[in-house]
Amino acid sequence: MEKKTSLKWALCITIIFVFMTVVWMNHKQYFSSSPYVREEIIKDYHEIPKYSKQKSITPIKNSKHLMVSAFKDHRINGRTRIISILNRDQLQPLFCIFQCGKNNDVTPAEIDMHSDHFGFRYVTTDVLCKNVPNCNATHVTLSLKPDMLYNLTDFLPIQNQIQEEEAFPYEFTICISNLFGSYNNVLQFVQTMEVYKLLGIQRVVIYNTSCGPDLEKVLHYYSEEGILEIVEWPIDQFLIPSRGWNFKEHGGDMHYYGQLTTLNECIYRNMYRSKYVLLNDIDEIIMPYQHANLHLLLEDLQHKHPDVGIFIIENHIFPKTQFDNSGRFNRTEWKKVPGINILEHVYREPDRKNVFNPTKILANPRQVVQTSVHSVLKNYGQTFRVPPDVCRIVHVRVPLQGSLAKEQLFVDKKLWEFEKPLLPNVDNVLNKSGILN
Ligand SMILES: *[C@@H]1O[C@H](CO)[C@@H](O)[C@H](O)[C@H]1NC(C)=O
Ligand SMILES: *[C@@H]1O[C@H](CO)[C@@H](O)[C@H](O)[C@H]1NC(C)=O
Ligand SMILES: *[C@@H]1O[C@H](CO)[C@@H](O)[C@H](O)[C@H]1NC(C)=O
Ligand SMILES: *[C@@H]1O[C@H](CO)[C@@H](O)[C@H](O)[C@H]1NC(C)=O
Ligand SMILES: *[C@@H]1O[C@H](CO)[C@@H](O)[C@H](O)[C@H]1NC(C)=O
């Protein structure tokens, strides 16, 4: 009796063991700790789509034109604006194809080419679509004909669906257009980013075509940290981008790797995300000279000029060829870091007679319609040129007036005021991003 029971138990356990082994063999991947395998399981069994990055450049079918992004523009009755890059030699009527539920609806497109093409064949263009009545479209695409067939991948999502009036996630966002070549100016970039933070910048958007190996590390660090948004910008896969601003001089299909397109894209991308956007280059700092930070500066400026939405800031050159004599910031810690140490360059070029200082833009994006690099092309509200003693751009670079001796330049140690928090913050980033190791 006892023997029979234990035999039954043994049989039972054996059957369970065999069963478990079969399950294990067939579903080995369920028990694995590899994240790759786990993702596969989720994909197979729960049909959660794999994360896919939004494409930033989409060709318009059967044409030489390109689309970039689509935005609902609440200032023009919610019409859809598609930031595009059109070939001026092949202009032709375009149609907007909207996805309305399960149907596609077509409206004619209006083409509004930006005026600043500098002789290049390709030009930033707003394509404006009339809306389809009774359709809350989520996606749109452009077409040469009103009746073509499309794949889902040809459509752009329509962004800015909801108009936000006051509560923006960020107060200040910087748009840095077009990183290209093997730009590897790490020390200047990290110092500049850390000054931005101390000035109250919460977000930086960079359009990346390519960059150098050390800068790559730092970009990853900042995007992990959360302040930096990197938008992939593979313009060189579609056009021959120019490294210059003028077709006659520099050749190519398009001005500076499409800088004008990315600046405009950035305005619309941040329309309801940021109270203000700053359109400056990677080596420029829009610096308040009488206020402790940008918040206090803008509070003051808007109080005095309530109807202004576009603030124009003068650019001033600090030649990288002139060093501070004291050697105060000639630190051994930074010797091996590639790039310019901006704290060593405290000499500022004077204004030139009969030459306007170039400018950059600080704007309320909801008042911008089309922007260029140094001024806006179309806007609502008013524009104000900020006096340079209130705010100017600190721009450490090759001199514009290279013949001037030190004695002919102004001493400007504004950056030194940030020394205390700046040095440990920069060291920390260089350490954590793996530049110092
Ligand atoms: C479109 O969206 C608005 C607001 O969400 C809603 O009131 C309206 O009924 C929608 N219209 C259609 C046709 O779905
Ligand atoms: C959709 O995409 C597939 C695969 O890329 C392609 O073969 C097909 O021609 C496309 N259809 C249309 C209507 O463009
Ligand atoms: C920038 O773009 C290049 C070329 O596509 C790519 O190799 C690189 O990883 C990108 N860098 C970042 C930080 O996204
Ligand atoms: C910085 O210090 C090094 C010595 O550590 C010296 O060789 C170099 O000339 C200094 N640079 C400047 C600009 O003073
Ligand atoms: C950077 O790292 C090195 C070694 O890992 C360390 O000695 C140094 O104190 C660190 N510096 C900062 C500012 O964290």
Side-chain angles (χ1 to χ4, degrees):
M1 189 69 186
E2 248 191 347
K3 217 178 177 185
K4 242 183 182 173
T5 311
S6 57
L7 208 68
K8 264 187 194 165
W9 273 111
L11 200 66
C12 207
I13 286 166
T14 309
I15 287 168
I16 288 170
F17 179 78
V18 168
F19 178 75
M20 292 293 281
T21 309
V22 168
V23 168
W24 165 253
M25 293 305 286
N26 285 335
H27 296 80
K28 235 180 187 164
Q29 72 270 29
Y30 285 99
F31 304 97
S32 163
S33 64
S34 147
Y36 172 72
V37 172
R38 283 206 177 150
E39 193 183 73
E40 286 288 306
I41 292 166
I42 289 170
K43 216 172 74 185
D44 288 356
Y45 288 88
H46 302 281
E47 291 180 291
I48 293 172
K50 209 171 159 189
Y51 174 71
S52 71
K53 253 196 217 165
Q54 171 71 40
K55 266 189 306 175
S56 57
I57 301 173
T58 309
I60 299 176
K61 264 206 185 137
N62 305 324
S63 83
K64 294 197 164 174
H65 312 306
L66 305 170
M67 300 181 279
V68 178
S69 307
F71 301 94
K72 198 177 178 89
D73 192 333
H74 299 274
R75 304 167 302 183
I76 47 172
N77 295 323
R79 288 177 73 185
T80 299
R81 180 187 302 271
I82 305 175
I83 310 264
S84 308
I85 298 172
L86 299 196
N87 182 314
R88 295 194 292 136
D89 297 341
Q90 314 225 336
L91 289 181
Q92 53 223 125
L94 292 172
F95 295 90
C96 303
I97 318 275
F98 284 101
Q99 260 180 27
C100 298
K102 287 189 176 161
N103 304 319
N104 285 350
D105 263 304
V106 184
T107 64
E110 181 188 324
I111 292 172
D112 186 2
M113 232 165 20
H114 290 215
S115 52
D116 53 349
H117 54 66
F118 301 108
F120 290 101
R121 192 175 300 125
Y122 283 83
V123 58
T124 306
T125 302
D126 293 348
V127 180
L128 295 162
C129 303
K130 273 221 178 65
N131 283 340
V132 179
N134 302 319
C135 157
N136 288 339
T138 55
H139 290 74
V140 67
T141 191
L142 288 173
S143 162
L144 300 185
K145 289 190 200 150
D147 57 356
M148 276 164 49
L149 287 174
Y150 291 90
N151 279 324
L152 223 55
T153 51
D154 301 325
F155 281 85
L156 308 177
I158 302 173
Q159 303 173 61
N160 293 352
Q161 292 278 356
I162 293 171
Q163 179 176 22
E164 186 56 65
E165 295 285 4
E166 268 176 38
F168 308 108
Y170 307 112
E171 188 174 16
F172 296 102
T173 297
I174 297 190
C175 294
I176 291 177
S177 56
N178 308 65
L179 203 49
F180 59 83
S182 52
Y183 190 79
N184 203 37
N185 188 352
V186 170
L187 188 53
Q188 181 163 13
F189 178 71
V190 173
Q191 289 175 335
T192 300
M193 286 290 282
E194 295 305 316
V195 173
Y196 290 158
K197 285 187 196 167
L198 295 171
L199 290 174
I201 302 287
Q202 295 113 348
R203 189 105 178 134
V204 177
V205 182
I206 292 186
Y207 293 77
N208 167 42
T209 303
S210 61
C211 68
D214 301 290
L215 195 70
E216 172 90 7
K217 290 184 195 168
V218 174
L219 292 177
H220 282 296
Y221 171 83
Y222 280 120
S223 82
E224 285 292 312
E225 190 197 52
I227 189 177
L228 182 63
E229 177 175 354
I230 299 168
V231 181
E232 293 304 333
W233 186 248
I235 188 72
D236 50 353
Q237 291 174 20
F238 299 90
L239 303 176
I240 301 165
S242 179
R243 287 172 169 266
W245 68 275
N246 179 333
F247 174 69
K248 274 197 184 136
E249 222 173 296
H250 305 104
D253 285 334
M254 198 179 195
H255 171 275
Y256 268 132
Y257 280 71
Q259 177 187 28
L260 294 162
T261 308
T262 57
L263 287 178
N264 281 276
E265 209 272 348
C266 199
I267 289 280
Y268 284 88
R269 174 181 292 259
N270 289 291
M271 186 144 296
Y272 303 117
R273 279 198 212 160
S274 195
K275 190 168 178 192
Y276 296 103
V277 293
L278 292 76
L279 307 183
N280 58 256
D281 285 353
I282 195 163
D283 54 357
E284 295 172 337
I285 301 173
I286 292 185
M287 175 69 78
Y289 270 68
Q290 296 175 4
H291 302 79
N293 55 46
L294 288 165
H295 173 81
L296 295 172
L297 169 69
L298 265 293
E299 204 172 51
D300 193 6
L301 285 175
Q302 292 279 214
H303 181 71
K304 288 175 184 149
H305 312 279
D307 297 328
V308 169
I310 316 292
F311 296 95
I312 300 294
I313 318 287
E314 278 187 18
N315 196 349
H316 289 256
I317 307 298
F318 291 63
K320 68 171 188 178
T321 45
Q322 298 288 5
F323 288 82
D324 154 50
N325 289 331
S326 75
R328 175 168 166 183
F329 293 100
N330 185 359
R331 300 171 73 229
T332 48
E333 291 91 329
W334 294 342
K335 283 272 144 60
K336 285 189 188 150
V337 181
I340 298 169
N341 176 0
I342 60 176
L343 292 167
E344 285 188 292
H345 305 288
V346 295
Y347 293 92
R348 171 159 57 82
E349 290 187 353
D351 293 345
R352 284 173 290 180
K353 255 191 203 156
N354 311 322
V355 178
F356 276 120
N357 291 319
T359 55
K360 290 289 163 71
I361 301 161
L362 190 163
N364 168 348
R366 294 160 301 286
Q367 295 201 27
V368 181
V369 180
Q370 292 179 353
T371 192
S372 186
V373 179
H374 305 291
S375 61
V376 294
L377 300 175
K378 289 185 181 177
N379 64 297
Y380 302 99
Q382 290 173 17
T383 299
F384 177 67
R385 192 176 174 117
V386 181
D389 60 324
V390 175
C391 180
R392 69 163 73 91
I393 296 174
V394 173
H395 190 181
V396 180
R397 50 156 283 165
V398 292
L400 282 184
Q401 305 174 60
S403 59
L404 296 186
K406 237 177 206 178
E407 298 70 39
Q408 295 167 287
L409 306 174
F410 292 106
V411 174
D412 182 339
K413 296 180 175 168
K414 183 70 194 174
L415 283 171
W416 287 15
E417 293 174 19
F418 298 88
E419 171 178 4
K420 252 209 174 120
L422 188 60
L423 297 195
N425 293 356
V426 169
D427 286 346
N428 184 40
V429 172
L430 293 173
N431 247 14
K432 287 199 178 144
S433 56
I435 297 296
L436 289 185
N437 315 332

